[in-house]
């Protein structure tokens, strides 16, 4: 033996030390332990091979090898302790205190218009109505003509129209528009269905007009249509009164007055008593001192409208109504300016 056996031993110690210092986690540390100190590890191998060392050097070699083994074991333990401490402090630094209350999650909420539309449709659904929807970009044919409003008829002035610059007829007039009300769905529903019909139609409509506290250029409507044999004005009144009672409670006053819409005959408007001033403030911004707020138009479906979709007015009759959910939300929540619905002011929206 040989200096080279000693040199090998020292080289082994140096390599072992270097690798141990480079181990950065528990897995690397364990791999190192197995490689050097394990049962078939390199140091263990050296000690096992001691028999091959010439007898006169065995004692010195054995002592040296053992010393290295003990030193590496100590260094291993120290390194292990170091790594554990590091891991613990890392844990401690991003620890979660599970006893603390959770951080609040910012919840979205429904827009007041959505709340009211769902409530309105829910009431009618409970009375056997179906909910259907139609297109916001509509043909003149459905928005006006099918509803007994011919081209160039003065009644068109009632709905200031936003025309869509896409299609023109032979006379150069626009034929598409943003629907000015949801009544076109009356014609669409009747065209594709046979009585009995009971539908409500929630959806957006558009008018070319200046905005103020009670007018917007875009707003929602919920349209309703009932067609069957023997439907009478008494059915209209009962249905809408029952609706108002369920939506506003039994103590709300309701009023029907004559009104004109080309697609109904007779036509009415239905009003509700003013929530804001109760009719006592002549300068009230909501009812303008009248004490009443109109919430919908209604009437018996005009025979021409029935004829236009191929129904026989001698056999079937019906009633229709249309209301503005924003106006109803204003009543229910005491909102005094319709423009708040589209201002996207989070302080307003958070109140619902
Ligand atoms: N469509 C009418 C409007 O927007 C409302 C209405 C609907 C009136 C149905 C009568 C019957 O003004």
């Amino acid at each position: 033996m040989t200096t080279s056996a000693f040199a090998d031993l020292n080289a082994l110690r140096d390599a072992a030390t270097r690798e141990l210092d480079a181990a950065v986690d528990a897995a690397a540390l364990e791999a190192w332990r197995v490689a050097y100190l394990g049962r078939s590890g390199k140091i263990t191998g050296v000690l096992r091979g001691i028999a091959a060392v010439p007898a006169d050097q065995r004692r010195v070699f054995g002592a040296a090898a053992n010393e290295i083994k003990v030193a590496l074991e100590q260094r291993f333990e120290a390194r292990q302790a170091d790594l554990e401490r590091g891991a613990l402090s890392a844990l401690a630094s991003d620890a979660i205190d599970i006893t603390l209350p959770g951080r609040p999650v910012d919840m979205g909420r429904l827009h007041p218009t959505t709340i009211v539309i769902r409530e309105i449709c829910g009431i009618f659904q409970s009375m056997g109505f179906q909910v259907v929807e139609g297109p916001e970009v509509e043909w003149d044919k459905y928005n006006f003509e099918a509803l007994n409003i011919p081209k160039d008829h003065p009644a068109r002035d009632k709905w200031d129209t936003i025309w869509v610059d896409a299609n023109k007829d032979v006379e150069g007039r626009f034929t598409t528009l943003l629907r000015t009300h949801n009544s076109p769905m009356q014609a669409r529903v009747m065209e594709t269905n046979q009585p009995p019909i009971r539908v409500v139609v929630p959806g957006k409509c558009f008018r070319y007009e200046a905005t103020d506290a009670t007018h917007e250029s875009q707003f929602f409507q919920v349209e309703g249509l009932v067609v069957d044999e023997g439907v009478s004005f008494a059915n209209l009144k009962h249905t809408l009164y029952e609706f108002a009672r369920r939506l506003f409670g039994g103590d709300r006053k309701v009023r029907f007055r004559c009104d004109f819409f080309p697609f109904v005959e007779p036509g009415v408007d239905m009003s509700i008593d003013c929530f804001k001033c109760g009719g006592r403030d002549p300068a009230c911004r909501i009812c303008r001192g009248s004490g009443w707020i109109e919430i919908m138009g209604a009437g018996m479906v005009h025979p021409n409208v029935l004829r236009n979709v191929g129904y026989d007015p001698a056999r079937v009759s019906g009633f229709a109504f249309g209301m503005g959910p924003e106006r109803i939300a204003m009543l229910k929540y005491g909102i005094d300016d319709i423009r708040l619905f589209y201002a996207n002011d989070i302080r307003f929206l958070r109140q619902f």
Side-chain angles (χ1 to χ4, degrees):
M1 173 124 199
T2 98
T3 34
S4 101
F6 279 100
D8 287 352
L9 192 58
N10 284 337
L12 186 60
R13 179 200 59 204
D14 291 347
T17 307
R18 230 181 307 113
E19 283 174 38
L20 180 58
D21 291 350
V24 290
D25 57 26
L29 209 59
E30 178 58 9
W32 181 91
R33 193 192 61 76
V34 171
Y36 287 96
L37 301 177
R39 218 169 336 154
S40 31
K42 291 177 188 164
I43 299 291
T44 320
V46 169
L47 288 169
R48 285 222 181 103
I50 205 154
V53 176
D56 60 332
Q57 292 174 16
R58 236 173 250 166
R59 212 173 55 77
V60 183
F61 185 84
N66 209 49
E67 205 176 293
I68 287 171
K69 177 178 180 244
V70 170
L72 286 174
E73 277 170 352
Q74 282 170 357
R75 203 178 177 95
F76 171 79
E77 275 160 28
R79 181 87 190 127
Q80 194 171 39
D82 268 2
L83 286 179
E84 272 169 16
R85 245 193 320 279
L88 274 178
S89 71
L91 268 182
S93 70
D94 56 32
I96 295 169
D97 183 349
I98 58 164
T99 65
L100 288 174
R103 294 189 191 110
V105 177
D106 238 346
M107 292 284 278
R109 56 193 76 215
L110 294 177
H111 192 281
T113 310
T114 307
I115 297 172
V116 168
I117 287 177
R118 289 189 184 178
E119 211 176 331
I120 292 169
C121 291
I123 292 171
F124 283 108
Q125 278 174 302
S126 78
M127 297 198 259
F129 285 69
Q130 271 180 285
V131 179
V132 295
E133 289 181 56
E136 289 173 5
V137 178
E138 186 56 282
W139 296 107
D140 184 293
K141 176 185 153 196
Y142 290 110
N143 196 86
F144 290 125
E145 279 176 71
L147 298 175
N148 199 28
I149 314 169
K151 289 198 171 61
D152 303 320
H153 193 280
R156 287 189 176 214
D157 292 351
K158 200 174 170 112
W159 296 274
D160 295 299
T161 306
I162 298 172
W163 294 96
V164 176
D165 182 8
N167 306 288
K168 285 182 180 170
D169 64 14
V170 286
E171 276 148 76
R173 281 177 297 218
F174 294 131
T175 52
T176 34
L177 45 77
L178 299 185
R179 68 177 172 196
T180 60
H181 51 178
N182 282 7
S183 302
M185 274 302 281
Q186 289 185 29
R188 283 180 179 273
V189 167
M190 287 191 280
E191 207 176 56
T192 48
N193 294 275
Q194 287 303 311
I197 286 170
R198 261 186 247 114
V199 293
V200 281
V201 187
K204 209 183 249 184
C205 43
F206 307 85
R207 292 199 194 156
Y208 184 68
E209 68 183 329
T211 59
D212 62 24
T214 53
H215 295 86
E216 257 291 3
S217 54
Q218 58 162 21
F219 51 95
F220 281 82
Q221 278 193 344
V222 178
E223 182 84 7
L225 176 70
V226 172
V227 185
D228 202 350
E229 288 175 21
V231 174
S232 72
F233 197 86
N235 298 134
L236 175 156
K237 246 180 132 174
H238 169 76
T239 306
L240 296 184
Y241 177 68
E242 177 65 16
F243 162 74
R245 219 180 47 77
R246 289 209 209 166
L247 191 64
F248 296 104
D251 51 351
R252 200 103 242 175
K253 279 189 258 171
V254 165
R255 180 185 74 177
F256 289 94
R257 279 190 319 178
C258 291
D259 201 350
F260 172 72
F261 303 93
F263 35 91
V264 289
E265 180 57 38
V268 293
D269 72 52
M270 182 170 123
S271 302
I272 218 143
D273 57 331
C274 181
F275 67 90
K276 181 95 172 166
C277 74
R280 283 180 295 276
D281 177 6
C284 178
R285 283 169 76 195
I286 296 303
C287 69
R288 295 172 205 278
S290 74
W292 295 97
I293 304 153
E294 190 185 321
I295 57 162
M296 67 171 109
M300 301 305 292
V301 179
H302 197 289
N304 286 349
V305 175
L306 296 173
R307 266 183 222 112
N308 286 343
V309 294
Y311 284 10
D312 177 3
R315 198 177 65 81
V316 294
S317 56
F319 66 86
F321 54 91
M323 70 189 89
E326 284 95 347
R327 206 163 269 228
I328 287 169
M330 290 168 81
L331 282 170
K332 282 188 74 91
Y333 299 120
I335 301 163
D336 63 2
D337 195 322
I338 199 171
R339 289 167 292 196
L340 286 164
F341 288 90
Y342 298 100
N344 273 339
D345 186 333
I346 195 80
R347 294 166 304 177
F348 171 72
L349 298 171
R350 277 207 176 117
Q351 297 176 71
F352 301 97

